[in-house]
């Protein structure tokens, strides 16, 4: 009962809070630039919609940046709905990760051809290097720390299914934790950004960290396996951009919450924004202007190839 009362009081403080004018103005300008670049890129792809199997997933990835920016700006304006907005934002992030994986598969010619490629490489007996770290052709050596408890994979349909499930499981766990967060928030025991044993936030943070790390690791392995086959779309820049948006944004939120919990975040900006969720939202509004610019550069070169 005490937790529910404390949660209601905290939500009331958030609902009565309005961000500083300078934060709203700066965040709004960066969000507008993000929207302009993203909408232009979407129209460019839709006007040259000649490869639907690839482009439909690519559009799903492109939409992640404006969705992140708009949802963060809405949360900045109204911190009382920050938990709900974060759920929507993270939900689309997991969907975008799935779209990125499906886009790479589509560029290989679909699932059947991807599986055929992996089985063909798995049957190869030559010692021609396939991966950067010098493993035998058709064999995947794991990176640290996974190599401590996982044996090398021989390329086959089974490996494709493992990688596919590794990406999909993040969507499922994100959806489950999102619903659980809403329930815990209603009872005042979610405690967003607080690392206490009687709060749900730290436990979900640990679960989501492992889930996201495994999904990104599966994407890394898939890229390592297929980078030669995908050389025509130059996937490295797109892969690094997408990985940085997903992984760095997640850890940025964790560190901001941790610094707030330890009382270490005392900059003038943090003091003016008052809530750790507002600090995260403000930074995301600024970051995704540059993310949209990187996507714009990467995707324009790809769009010209598809035209």
């Amino acid at each position: 009962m005490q937790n529910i009362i404390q949660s209601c009081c905290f939500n009331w403080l958030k609902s009565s809070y309005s961000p500083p004018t300078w934060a709203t103005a700066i965040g709004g300008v960066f969000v507008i630039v993000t929207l302009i670049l993203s909408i232009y890129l979407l129209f460019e792809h839709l006007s040259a919609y000649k490869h639907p199997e690839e482009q439909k997933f690519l559009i799903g990835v492109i939409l992640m940046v404006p969705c992140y920016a708009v949802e963060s700006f809405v949360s900045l304006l109204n911190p009382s709905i920050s938990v709900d907005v974060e759920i929507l934002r993270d939900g689309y992030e997991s969907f975008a990760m799935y779209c990125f994986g499906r886009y790479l598969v589509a560029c290989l010619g679909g699932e059947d051809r991807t599986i055929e490629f992996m089985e063909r490489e798995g049957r190869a007996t030559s010692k021609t290097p396939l991966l950067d770290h010098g493993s035998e052709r058709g064999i995947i050596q794991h990176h640290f720390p996974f190599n401590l408890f996982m044996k090398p994979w021989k390329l086959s349909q089974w490996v494709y299914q493992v990688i596919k499930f590794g990406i999909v499981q993040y969507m499922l766990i994100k959806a489950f934790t999102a619903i659980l967060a809403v329930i815990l928030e209603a009872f005042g025991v979610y405690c967003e950004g607080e690392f206490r044993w009687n709060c749900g936030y730290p436990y979900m943070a640990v679960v989501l960290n492992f889930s996201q790390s495994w999904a990104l690791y599966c994407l890394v392995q898939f890229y390592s396996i297929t980078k030669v086959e995908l050389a025509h779309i130059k996937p490295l820049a797109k892969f690094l951009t997408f990985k940085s948006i997903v992984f760095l944004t997640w850890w940025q939120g964790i560190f901001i919450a941790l610094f707030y919990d330890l009382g270490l975040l005392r900059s003038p900006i943090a003091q003016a924004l008052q809530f750790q969720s507002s600090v995260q939202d403000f930074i995301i509004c600024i970051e995704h202007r540059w993310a949209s610019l990187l996507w714009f550069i990467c995707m324009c070169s790809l769009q010209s190839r598809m035209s």
Side-chain angles (χ1 to χ4, degrees), residues 6-299:
Q6 290 176 348
S7 178
C8 290
C9 292
F10 187 68
N11 288 334
W12 179 82
L13 288 174
K14 279 190 171 184
S15 63
S16 61
Y17 163 81
S18 59
T21 304
W22 59 264
T24 304
I26 294 174
V29 169
F30 278 93
V31 169
I32 290 172
V33 174
T34 299
L35 289 175
I36 290 173
L37 290 174
S38 300
I39 291 173
Y40 175 80
L41 188 57
L42 286 173
F43 273 110
E44 285 291 297
H45 274 284
L46 292 174
S47 63
Y49 200 68
K50 299 178 181 178
H51 304 272
E53 289 303 314
E54 299 176 21
Q55 288 177 282
K56 65 182 180 183
F57 294 114
L58 193 58
I59 289 173
V61 177
I62 293 172
L63 284 173
M64 183 180 74
V65 173
C67 284
Y68 250 67
V70 171
E71 289 169 353
S72 297
F73 185 67
V74 171
S75 179
L76 176 65
L77 295 177
N78 188 3
S80 64
I81 61 173
S82 61
V83 173
D84 300 318
V85 170
E86 183 179 352
I87 289 169
L88 293 174
R89 187 172 62 205
D90 293 348
Y92 195 87
E93 172 205 299
S94 61
F95 173 71
M97 186 180 293
Y98 170 77
C99 286
F100 189 78
R102 291 292 299 175
Y103 162 67
L104 296 179
V105 171
C107 290
L108 290 169
E111 281 195 342
D112 291 340
R113 290 190 177 183
T114 302
I115 292 172
E116 289 176 6
F117 164 74
M118 288 191 174
E119 290 180 338
R120 184 171 64 251
E121 293 294 332
R123 290 192 297 266
T125 55
S126 65
K127 302 298 182 181
T128 304
L130 175 64
L131 307 181
D132 280 341
H133 41 280
S135 62
E136 295 181 356
R137 184 179 179 183
I139 301 295
I140 303 174
Q141 301 291 344
H142 294 288
H143 303 277
F144 180 84
F146 296 99
N147 60 346
L148 299 178
F149 54 88
M150 295 179 64
K151 296 181 179 180
W153 288 344
K154 181 179 180 181
L155 284 180
S156 63
Q157 181 177 355
W158 176 82
V159 171
Y160 175 77
Q161 296 298 337
V162 169
I163 292 175
K164 181 180 178 180
F165 180 75
I167 299 172
V168 173
Q169 59 83 25
Y170 182 55
M171 290 182 60
L172 300 176
I173 291 178
K174 269 282 190 180
F176 174 75
T177 54
I179 296 172
L180 187 59
V182 172
I183 297 173
L184 294 178
E185 180 71 10
F187 286 94
V189 292
Y190 179 59
C191 312
E192 180 189 12
E194 299 182 28
F195 292 87
R196 301 203 310 261
W197 68 269
N198 58 342
C199 292
Y201 175 82
Y203 302 105
M204 279 198 245
V206 171
V207 171
L208 286 173
N209 175 57
F210 279 106
S211 176
Q212 186 189 77
S213 298
W214 178 246
L216 285 171
Y217 181 74
C218 287
L219 274 178
V220 168
Q221 292 291 29
F222 188 75
Y223 165 74
S224 299
I225 295 166
T226 61
K227 64 181 180 181
V228 175
E229 296 294 312
L230 294 173
H232 62 286
I233 65 169
K234 300 178 180 179
L236 182 59
K238 304 176 188 64
F239 178 78
L240 293 177
T241 301
F242 179 80
K243 185 177 179 181
S244 63
I245 292 173
V246 173
F247 199 74
L248 296 181
T249 301
W250 162 256
W251 276 105
Q252 174 182 277
I254 293 293
F255 280 118
I256 289 175
L258 183 60
F259 289 161
Y260 246 90
D261 197 54
L262 297 175
L264 301 177
L265 199 60
R266 298 177 180 176
S267 67
I269 292 178
Q271 295 296 319
L273 291 173
Q274 296 186 24
F275 299 109
Q276 62 94 1
S277 60
S278 297
V279 175
Q280 168 78 335
D281 294 328
F282 179 70
I283 295 175
I284 288 177
C285 288
I286 296 175
E287 288 175 336
H288 279 66
R289 185 269 189 194
W290 303 109
S292 64
L293 184 60
L294 288 174
W295 271 126
F296 183 80
I297 296 172
C298 293
M299 300 303 178

